[in-house]
Amino acid sequence: FDIRGAFLCKPIDREIYLKLPPGYEPPQSKTAKLLRSLYGLKQAPSAFHSLFESWLLCYGFTAIGGNRVTFLLRRGTSVVLLSIYVDDGITATNDKKLYRQFLADLSKDFELSDQGK
């Protein structure tokens, strides 16, 4: 799956100002304060990753290893294994129903495209 607009999801935790493009004349200032992360902003990937990791942990996933990119969800004998790279996820599961429920719940908070349908 792919999370669309991933870098636009997370409010940023520091003040960042941008120069406005030529031709755009705002009434007050020649700079704009960012409220949310943007593509191309060097803080964007880590801001999104912290938001997504928090969501996974609240959902019941546990991180595997020290790299914090692979997560495991166990529900009885059912498992979902998830690896995330930037805004793309790859999953393996032994329970399609659990996987579909996970995607449905994830799509309530993130806009997804599921290439593995």
Side-chain angles (χ1 to χ4, degrees):
F1 62 87
D2 177 68
I3 299 174
R4 295 183 187 148
F7 296 161
L8 306 175
C9 295
K10 175 91 164 104
I12 50 181
D13 58 358
R14 59 193 82 171
E15 289 190 3
I16 298 176
Y17 292 87
L18 297 176
K19 288 183 181 178
L20 296 173
Y24 182 78
E25 296 298 328
Q28 299 173 346
S29 173
K30 295 194 185 258
T31 62
K33 180 180 176 182
L34 289 180
L35 301 176
R36 295 198 172 269
S37 194
L38 289 176
Y39 285 104
L41 192 63
K42 68 181 180 179
Q43 297 89 345
S46 82
F48 169 72
H49 185 77
S50 69
L51 173 70
F52 191 67
E53 181 181 22
S54 294
W55 190 96
L56 291 172
L57 295 174
C58 287
Y59 194 79
F61 279 85
T62 55
I64 298 174
N67 59 15
R68 317 276 311 163
V69 296
T70 305
F71 299 86
L72 180 68
L73 175 67
R74 288 186 189 270
R75 300 261 169 92
T77 59
S78 300
V79 295
V80 175
L81 182 65
L82 166 69
S83 284
I84 189 83
Y85 179 74
V86 187
D87 61 350
D88 298 315
I90 187 166
T91 56
T93 185
N94 65 348
D95 186 333
K96 287 184 181 181
K97 184 178 177 182
L98 177 61
Y99 175 70
R100 283 190 214 108
Q101 184 61 53
F102 159 68
L103 283 182
D105 293 339
L106 185 63
S107 68
K108 291 175 186 173
D109 293 315
F110 299 96
E111 185 179 345
L112 302 178
S113 64
D114 181 16
Q115 304 300 322
K117 287 184 178 178

